[in-house]
Each structure stands twice: as structure tokens, then as C-alpha cells.
Amino acid sequence: MRTEEINIRDPFVLLRDGIYYLYGTRGATCWGPASGFDVYTSLDLQEWEGPLPCFENDGTFWADRNYWAPEVHPWKDAWYMFASFKSESRHRGTAILRADSPRGPFVPWSDGPVTPDAWECLDGTFHVDTDGTPWMVFCHEWVQAGDGEILALPLRADLRGPAGEPVLLFRASEAGWARRVRHSSGMEGYVTDGPFLWRAEDGRLLCLWSSLSASGYTQGLAVSDTGRVRGHFSQLPPLFDRDGGHGMLFRAKDGTLMLTLHTPNEHLKEHPVFLPVTLPDGMSRT
């Protein structure tokens, strides 16, 4: 299967032992009832094997819809999936699953979402700060917050739950390129999607995130003034503004820094793309 044939949103790539693992939101079940996630594998980012189920609800899992944005990260002696879920009785939130291999099968690890119970949240990503503290960075969704927020939540060392309260990093409207949008309910606000943290070679801590701009879905970028999660994040120019977003960075086998995101942002037409990228300088701009 070639890359352009894969219908997923929110692509996430893990390179391990010479194999690329690709995860994402199943395009067909993104907006309604859902039951799991898949993984694809490749040696060259062009031809893929899969989809291979890596998590399936066996009927006992708490969520039955909006299975979104799976990411897989190593921590200590296992692999942890951070993904968003929702049910009729629970707000959307990010839960953590665990497996012994990047291929899965992943099983529930946290006791439901680790995001605040009363909040509509999504797109949790994992980050280990310079002092070794594990964090989850996530979105407080704009449909509840109005001005969508990116926050950081300290995690327990076993990743089963939070170790403190959320810390606000920035709001969507702080980016000069972000545009106000209207929800079907009539509410207006600014979208935040898909945070992902990356430590640049010069030591800067960067946060990728997405919102809507004049040209459509857009891949934004912010930088911490302290080089740590607890810092002020200033907005840099977008990395991609041609109707694509919810991206992340990874190093290819040859060391090239790559950006993957989904485009176009249209139901059943989304697919991952892989783009070599050069990060901007450290100047703060909006």
C-alpha cells in the first residue's frame, strides 16, 4: 500500500530498529462510532504493510466514539499509546494504553482519561522534560473553552494518572494567523489541535499545534522562552498553511528532519504526507 492510499488523520511516525511505524485516526470512523486503531509499517516511507489492528475495544472499554490521534512513545520498559476518546456519559479526553511492542496489542493503562473530567479535551502528547519529569501536553477544546488552550499536565512516573494540575502554555488567539471560526451550535472561537513537542538541536523546545487560518487548516509552531515546558511560548510562522495539519516531527533513517501531517483536511480524502523541513530561527513573531 502506498502512502497516498492510507486514509488516516493525525499521523504519527515512530522509527524503531529500522522500521517506520505509522499510527493515526481511522478516516472512516473519525466522526462517529469507533472501535480501535491500526498501525502500518514501512522500510522507506513509501510502501506500507497494513493496516494491522493494534488496539480494539473488546466491549469493556469505556469509550465508543471519536477514537482520535494515537501516539506511541517509549517509557521505561514498555510502549505507551496516548489517544483521545469519548462516550455518551464522559467528556472527550486523552487516555493512556500500554503494550510490550510498537505493534501492540495495546491495553488500557490509565483509569479512564487523565485529562480533567469536566473538560472537553483532546490530542494528548507525551514529553519528558530536561529534569526527567514526564508530562502530557494536550488541548482544552475550543467548543468548551472558546479560545482553545494548550496545557501541560505532569504525570506520575508509572503514567497511570496525573501528578499535579494542568499548566496553561498558550491560547490559540495568541497566533496572529489564527482565525475565529463558528461551530454548528452558533458558538465562535479559536481552534487548538494536535500539540507535539520537539527538542531542537540548538536546545529550543518547540510546540507544534494546529488551527484554522485564512488558507484553511494550518500547522503552527511555538517556542518556549525557558527551553522547558514551564515557560512562555511565543508563536513562530506556520510550518504549513495549505489545508493540512495535526503534524509531528521525526528523524528519517538518513537523519533528515521530517514533518508528517494529514492533508487535505476533508473527510475520507485525508492522507499522511512526509515533508523535509527546516526549522525557523529562534525569533519570536506572530
Side-chain angles (χ1 to χ4, degrees):
M1 175 180 290
R2 295 192 61 81
T3 302
E4 57 269 22
E5 298 176 283
I6 300 176
N7 176 217
I8 61 171
R9 299 174 64 87
D10 321 321
F12 183 89
V13 172
L14 170 70
L15 175 60
R16 193 70 173 187
D17 298 327
I19 298 173
Y20 295 104
Y21 296 87
L22 172 65
Y23 309 86
T25 303
R26 290 173 176 170
T29 60
C30 176
W31 304 113
S35 62
F37 296 116
D38 302 313
V39 60
Y40 301 79
T41 59
S42 175
L43 297 177
D44 59 9
L45 295 176
Q46 298 179 41
E47 295 287 343
W48 297 86
E49 294 185 4
L52 307 170
C54 60
F55 170 65
E56 285 291 334
N57 183 357
D58 63 3
T60 64
F61 190 59
W62 63 270
D64 61 2
R65 66 198 71 179
N66 295 171
Y67 283 40
W68 291 353
E71 298 189 3
V72 173
H73 299 268
W75 176 248
K76 299 188 183 296
D77 59 348
W79 300 88
Y80 293 86
M81 175 181 283
F82 291 68
S84 301
F85 305 92
K86 186 177 177 66
S87 72
E88 181 68 28
S89 60
R90 301 191 75 164
H91 290 292
R92 182 180 298 112
T94 294
I96 302 173
L97 298 83
R98 183 184 185 276
D100 294 327
S101 163
R103 297 177 183 268
F106 287 87
V107 297
W109 183 248
S110 62
D111 183 15
V114 296
T115 44
D117 288 339
W119 290 9
E120 289 285 344
C121 302
L122 71 165
D123 297 346
T125 188
F126 185 58
H127 173 72
V128 181
D129 217 347
T130 52
D131 63 357
T133 300
W135 291 81
M136 186 181 74
V137 176
F138 68 97
C139 297
H140 185 192
E141 199 170 10
W142 75 280
V143 295
Q144 186 181 57
D147 194 352
E149 299 173 336
I150 303 286
L151 302 104
L153 182 71
L155 297 176
R156 289 165 35 185
D158 62 6
L159 305 190
R160 284 192 178 271
E165 297 299 317
V167 178
L168 178 66
L169 303 187
F170 59 89
R171 295 182 173 89
S173 64
E174 294 176 31
W177 53 264
R179 293 295 179 265
R180 183 184 293 271
V181 297
R182 179 184 291 270
H183 191 261
S184 58
S185 66
M187 176 182 177
E188 293 187 355
Y190 293 86
V191 172
T192 46
D193 277 347
F196 175 80
L197 276 74
W198 179 261
R199 179 73 62 186
E201 291 186 354
D202 60 8
R204 287 179 297 161
L205 181 62
L206 303 172
C207 180
L208 281 71
W209 67 287
S210 297
S211 190
L212 280 298
S213 72
S215 55
Y217 201 40
T218 294
Q219 182 62 67
L221 183 68
V223 59
S224 169
D225 64 350
T226 65
R228 301 183 64 176
V229 168
R230 287 184 178 273
H232 174 71
F233 281 78
S234 299
Q235 302 301 317
L236 298 172
L239 286 178
F240 188 94
D241 62 358
R242 299 186 299 280
D243 197 34
H246 199 120
M248 56 86 66
L249 297 172
F250 67 97
R251 292 280 178 190
K253 292 181 183 180
D254 65 0
T256 301
L257 183 62
M258 303 291 290
L259 169 69
T260 184
L261 47 76
H262 75 252
T263 187
N265 191 39
E266 185 176 348
H267 185 44
L268 300 182
K269 294 184 179 180
E270 317 95 323
H271 63 273
V273 296
F274 306 106
L275 307 170
V277 65
T278 299
L279 297 175
D281 61 39
M283 294 179 62
S284 299
R285 285 167 283 180
T286 58

